[in-house]
């Protein structure tokens, strides 16, 4: 994977170490954009790649990707014209029913998404829509627990991309659904905390369709040398606004046609 930037590689390394240090210590850091923004978004992805390689070399296992900025409104807010992506590691998966410790994250928020599980390798940067649809093994509802290593969520596009697309943890529903007869665009979503709605939306919020968002991701991943592989999970983008969480919260997302998923947050530090 090669990325050309106009930034001194030592600056890329410095930004990567800042974000990695924040993840380790649990103390967020100042935005990294002043360090790297002269190199454009490619510099931010170079920071992400430095940390991806570090984590893989340290024994963490890649199991998928997440797509961010699938909302056109959020893209306009950050001054970009396309989504971004981040890496999903096996240790980010929290099985449904296992309480999530807020000690695992720094500044968590939650989003409801449709997760797509891939049934075949996708090595081609010119992947077609038909090939993308054929590659979908099944879908499940998901709650992504997004997080930021940047203090106070003071982020711009360079910060979130460098920070692995503000990823944290994720919870997948346990009942898979095939695509047959399922129009992901029209799948409405309600996310609640203790029965109170906190976010609503639908599949059409993800670039018009989670399939379209996943196709974008698969093409980009093939182009940059980290293609999606059989069994990989795609978190295809938020179906509605993200919301904050606190200790003791129980978050439930219901997605029409796809199912229900719950994330329970521990009431103490365990």
């Amino acid at each position: 994977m090669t990325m050309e930037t106009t930034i001194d590689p030592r600056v890329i390394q410095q930004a990567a170490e800042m974000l990695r240090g924040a993840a380790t210590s649990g103390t967020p850091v100042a935005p990294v954009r002043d360090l790297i923004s002269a190199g454009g978004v490619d510099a931010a992805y170079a920071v992400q790649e430095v940390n991806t390689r570090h984590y893989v070399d340290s024994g963490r296992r890649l199991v998928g990707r997440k797509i961010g900025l699938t909302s056109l409104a959020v893209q306009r807010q950050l001054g970009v014209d396309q989504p971004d992506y981040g890496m999903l590691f096996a240790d980010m998966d929290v099985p449904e029913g296992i309480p999530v410790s807020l000690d695992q994250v720094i500044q968590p928020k939650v989003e409801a998404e449709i997760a797509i599980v891939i049934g075949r390798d996708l090595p081609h940067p010119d992947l077609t829509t038909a090939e993308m649809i054929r590659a979908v093994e099944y879908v499940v509802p998901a709650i992504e627990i997004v997080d930021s290593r940047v203090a106070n969520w003071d982020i711009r596009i360079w910060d979130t991309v460098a920070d692995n697309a503000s990823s944290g943890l994720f919870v997948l529903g346990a009942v898979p659904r095939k695509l047959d007869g399922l129009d992901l665009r029209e799948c409405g979503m309600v996310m609640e905390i203790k029965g109170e709605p906190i976010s609503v939306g639908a599949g059409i919020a993800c670039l018009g369709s989670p399939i379209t968002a996943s196709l974008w991701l698969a093409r980009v991943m093939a182009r940059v040398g980290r293609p999606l592989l059989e069994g990989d999970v795609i978190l295809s983008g938020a179906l509605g606004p993200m919301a904050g969480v606190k200790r003791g919260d129980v978050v439930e997302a219901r997605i029409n046609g796809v199912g229900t998923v719950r994330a329970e947050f521990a009431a103490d530090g365990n």
Side-chain angles (χ1 to χ4, degrees):
M1 184 172 179
T2 60
M3 295 182 180
E4 297 181 0
T5 74
T6 59
I7 299 294
D8 188 325
R10 291 171 295 184
V11 174
I12 298 294
Q13 188 68 36
Q14 179 185 353
E17 290 175 355
M18 286 175 60
L19 293 168
R20 208 163 62 236
T24 300
S25 68
T27 301
V29 295
V32 298
R33 56 182 176 268
D34 289 343
L35 285 173
I36 64 173
S37 60
V41 176
D42 280 354
Y45 277 118
V47 174
Q48 183 187 128
E49 177 65 11
V50 166
N51 280 339
T52 297
R53 289 178 180 173
H54 171 86
Y55 289 133
V56 169
D57 290 345
S58 300
R60 296 180 74 187
R61 185 166 61 90
L62 279 172
V63 295
R65 311 287 186 274
K66 64 157 288 183
I67 312 173
L69 307 182
T70 50
S71 161
L72 296 180
V74 175
Q75 287 182 18
R76 286 193 292 268
Q77 181 181 357
L78 292 183
V80 297
D81 60 0
Q82 63 178 1
D84 67 356
Y85 63 81
M87 304 292 142
L88 298 180
F89 294 94
D91 57 10
M92 294 166 61
D93 173 53
V94 180
E96 192 174 25
I98 302 298
V100 178
S101 171
L102 290 188
D103 293 342
Q104 296 175 260
V105 285
I106 302 174
Q107 304 174 101
K109 299 176 184 291
V110 290
E111 296 177 340
E113 309 195 10
I114 294 173
I116 292 175
V117 178
I118 297 301
R120 62 185 69 189
D121 295 353
L122 299 177
H124 303 300
D126 60 349
L127 186 76
T128 68
T129 302
E131 289 169 332
M132 183 71 238
I133 292 171
R134 289 185 65 217
V136 177
E137 184 74 15
Y138 58 84
V139 299
V140 291
I143 293 173
E144 183 183 1
I145 303 163
V146 292
D147 196 15
S148 182
R149 273 57 62 176
V150 176
N152 302 312
W153 278 91
D154 179 13
I155 61 173
R156 300 294 184 270
I157 183 61
W158 305 278
D159 303 296
T160 186
V161 167
D163 191 24
N164 198 29
S166 302
S167 63
L169 307 168
F170 60 92
V171 181
L172 301 182
V175 181
R177 296 279 190 269
K178 293 289 188 180
L179 274 187
D180 295 354
L182 187 60
D183 187 346
L184 298 184
R185 298 171 302 173
E186 298 181 357
C187 293
M189 177 277 298
V190 176
M191 184 167 61
E192 300 175 339
I193 292 180
K194 297 180 179 178
E196 294 295 324
I198 57 169
S199 181
V200 296
I204 199 170
C206 297
L207 295 184
S209 168
I211 294 295
T212 302
S214 298
L215 177 64
W216 172 87
L217 176 73
R219 288 173 171 175
V220 171
M221 289 293 93
R223 189 164 64 244
V224 303
R226 287 198 180 275
L228 291 166
L229 304 176
E230 180 182 356
D232 276 351
V233 175
I234 298 173
L235 295 181
S236 61
L239 303 185
M242 64 182 179
V245 288
K246 62 184 186 301
R247 297 186 188 278
D249 279 345
V250 177
V251 181
E252 181 172 274
R254 298 192 305 275
I255 304 174
N256 291 342
V258 178
T260 300
V261 60
R262 287 164 58 97
E264 303 173 22
F265 291 83
D268 52 29
N270 296 325

